[in-house]
Amino acid sequence: MACTHKPMTVTGMLSQSIRKAKLDVIDEMKIDSDVTKFSDYYGMCERIFKMPMPLSYTRLTSRFLSVWLLFMPLALYGAINPHWAIVPITAFLAFAIFGIEELGVQIEEPFSILPMDTMAGIDASIFEALELDKEDRKKQGVVA
């Protein structure tokens, strides 16, 4: 639990366990293939997380919605007879539309609400993997 990059450490531990299990070569290759896929998939997730999103997309959408909702009471004035009802109707529509816009922002960057900063960090995990490999080689008596 004290490791810097948990997925990389788990992948390394799985690989070591597979080697120590002395399985058939075909079974070992199948399991190793799955471990490699796991490593590839969490690497893809890290790249998605670290990809910067342009703020202009979100800003343009929110500005357009703000102007549109600003003029909505004028459009509703002729359609709604008790004119006092325009204000709560517009407020409800603004709440709903800005809520949908916020959901779009969250979908645009799915990892922004997760604590990925503590889980991501490929550079630290590489150095940690090298240290674990060095310790494993020392235990086995192999000089690198």
Side-chain angles (χ1 to χ4, degrees):
M1 292 305 290
C3 61
T4 306
H5 193 259
K6 290 172 183 55
M8 182 86 136
T9 305
V10 169
T11 304
M13 291 169 62
L14 284 172
S15 295
Q16 289 174 1
S17 298
I18 292 167
R19 279 185 256 136
K20 290 177 183 176
K22 304 212 190 275
L23 299 171
D24 292 336
V25 176
I26 295 172
D27 292 336
E28 188 175 328
M29 286 175 44
K30 286 180 184 177
I31 295 172
D32 190 48
S33 171
D34 290 337
V35 171
T36 303
K37 286 179 187 176
F38 171 72
S39 176
D40 291 343
Y41 291 145
Y42 75 71
M44 288 178 204
C45 290
E46 284 181 347
R47 284 191 295 279
I48 290 171
F49 172 66
K50 300 217 181 213
M51 175 76 70
M53 292 301 282
L55 291 176
S56 60
Y57 296 149
T58 307
R59 287 182 183 162
L60 178 66
T61 305
S62 62
R63 287 176 186 160
F64 173 77
L65 288 176
S66 297
V67 171
W68 188 73
L69 287 169
L70 183 66
F71 288 109
M72 183 177 280
L74 299 175
L76 293 177
Y77 189 78
I80 298 177
N81 196 357
H83 298 301
W84 63 266
I86 293 173
V87 173
I89 290 171
T90 304
F92 173 74
L93 289 174
F95 176 76
I97 289 172
F98 279 121
I100 292 170
E101 194 263 338
E102 183 60 30
L103 283 174
V105 169
Q106 292 297 322
I107 290 170
E108 194 174 84
E109 288 190 52
F111 298 115
S112 64
I113 58 174
L114 298 174
M116 292 296 288
D117 284 332
T118 58
M119 298 187 309
I122 194 74
D123 54 345
S125 65
I126 290 171
F127 291 121
E128 184 175 2
L130 289 173
E131 287 297 322
L132 289 173
D133 187 53
K134 192 184 294 183
E135 290 174 12
D136 192 38
R137 288 176 187 245
K138 283 182 182 178
K139 288 178 186 176
Q140 294 176 358
V142 177
V143 177

